[in-house]
Amino acid sequence: MCVKGVKDALKLAGRGFIFLGICTWLIYMFPRLKYFFFPVCQELPDSPLLESNRQKQEQVRRVQQHQHNDKTSDYAESVIKPRQNVLLQQRMERYHRMTGETWKLSQGFPVGGEDDQVCGDAGVDENPNQGARRRRKLLQTVTHDPVQQEVPKQKKVIVLPDEPSTDTEGVVKIALRCPSGRTICRRFLKTWSSLLLLDWMMKAGYHPALYTLCTSYPRTVLIAAADVSLEEAGILTNTVLNVEEKEPSIT
């Protein structure tokens, strides 16, 4: 009886597996049989409706692109170009002041201004004697005016103190990393004024009006003043300073 019960259970399990297989096959084949017996008429891709929608989308895209281009050009004309012109003008002014050619910054004066116009108007209704008298007075006025000679500006002569020896107390070694890639080194005493660093930078060819000194990490601008020593400025050990160009301020 026990063996017969096991055989019946195996037969029942086999029939269950066969039924599950048939159901799985029907589920897999049903969509394919459906599309086979009832095909779906799909709309052709080149139908007039799709072509009209595609043309509308292309037209909308072109309009948006033109609007974006107009906004970009307006921003460049009204914002970017004026900023660039201001920066260029400031750099030119700084360059002319550095080279001593400040006369290029002025607009100049017209030749034959109001004086020539007054003289021309005065000579219309005067006789020869009055004209000669007026010219003599003008010549005396021009001759007697003192001529003010422009005093030439004296160039600043940079003289750095002698380098202390390495065994001197309070000596630090400072390196300047220039924008050109060159690095120069020198020894200073911590009690010396921090303005000596600006003089050293200027002697290396970088004017303090255009360049400044900054520490490497963290990046901070070095405080340089006549009454501030190197130690008070934060230089306590051997230090590397970067020579960086100042950013012009736009007002």
Side-chain angles (χ1 to χ4, degrees):
M1 292 295 293
C2 182
V3 174
K4 186 177 180 180
V6 172
K7 289 183 179 180
D8 293 338
L10 292 175
K11 289 181 181 180
L12 182 62
R15 291 173 184 175
F17 284 120
I18 293 173
F19 179 75
L20 290 177
I22 294 173
C23 292
T24 305
W25 181 80
L26 289 176
I27 294 173
Y28 176 77
M29 293 299 296
F30 179 75
R32 289 165 174 76
L33 295 174
K34 179 181 176 182
Y35 288 129
F36 179 77
F37 291 105
F38 304 98
V40 179
C41 296
Q42 297 181 355
E43 189 176 5
L44 297 177
D46 54 349
S47 63
L49 181 59
L50 289 179
E51 186 66 22
S52 176
N53 292 336
R54 189 182 300 109
Q55 291 180 357
K56 290 181 180 179
Q57 292 176 358
E58 183 67 19
Q59 185 177 2
V60 171
R61 187 190 66 80
R62 290 179 180 176
V63 171
Q64 292 178 351
Q65 184 66 29
H66 287 312
Q67 292 177 353
H68 179 71
N69 293 338
D70 293 340
K71 290 181 180 179
T72 303
S73 60
D74 293 342
Y75 180 79
E77 291 292 337
S78 60
V79 179
I80 297 179
K81 286 187 177 180
R83 288 181 180 177
Q84 293 177 350
N85 293 334
V86 170
L87 289 175
L88 180 60
Q89 184 67 22
Q90 290 180 353
R91 290 179 182 273
M92 291 296 295
E93 291 179 358
R94 290 160 56 191
Y95 173 75
H96 289 317
R97 289 193 181 96
M98 284 292 299
T99 56
E101 299 176 349
T102 54
W103 56 272
K104 291 186 178 181
L105 301 176
S106 63
Q107 300 296 329
F109 301 96
V111 179
E114 297 180 355
D115 295 340
D116 293 345
Q117 185 67 27
V118 171
C119 293
D121 295 341
V124 174
D125 298 330
E126 67 181 9
N127 55 35
N129 293 332
Q130 292 176 350
R133 189 182 305 110
R134 179 181 54 78
R135 286 191 293 271
R136 284 196 301 271
K137 289 182 179 180
L138 182 61
L139 181 61
Q140 291 175 0
T141 303
V142 174
T143 305
H144 292 161
D145 287 340
V147 179
Q148 296 181 356
Q149 296 182 355
E150 185 179 358
V151 179
K153 296 181 179 180
Q154 295 182 356
K155 294 184 178 180
K156 181 181 178 180
V157 180
I158 300 175
V159 179
L160 297 176
D162 296 335
E163 288 190 64
S165 59
T166 55
D167 55 352
T168 305
E169 184 179 359
V171 66
V172 290
K173 187 176 182 181
I174 300 177
L176 287 188
R177 187 177 296 152
C178 304
S180 61
R182 184 179 54 144
T183 302
I184 54 178
C185 301
R186 202 177 192 279
R187 292 187 299 274
F188 293 85
L189 290 178
K190 292 188 288 187
T191 56
W192 287 354
S193 174
S194 57
L195 284 180
L196 291 175
L197 297 179
L198 298 183
D199 293 341
W200 184 31
M201 180 181 68
M202 184 174 180
K203 194 171 183 180
Y206 301 94
H207 199 279
L210 303 177
Y211 296 89
T212 184
L213 294 176
C214 301
T215 57
S216 298
Y217 183 81
R219 182 188 178 280
T220 55
V221 179
L222 185 69
I223 301 175
D227 55 348
V228 177
S229 64
L230 296 179
E231 187 175 6
E232 294 174 348
I235 299 178
L236 304 177
T237 58
N238 298 339
T239 308
V240 178
L241 299 177
N242 296 325
V243 180
E244 298 182 6
E245 186 176 359
K246 291 183 177 179
E247 291 293 337
S249 58
I250 302 177
T251 57

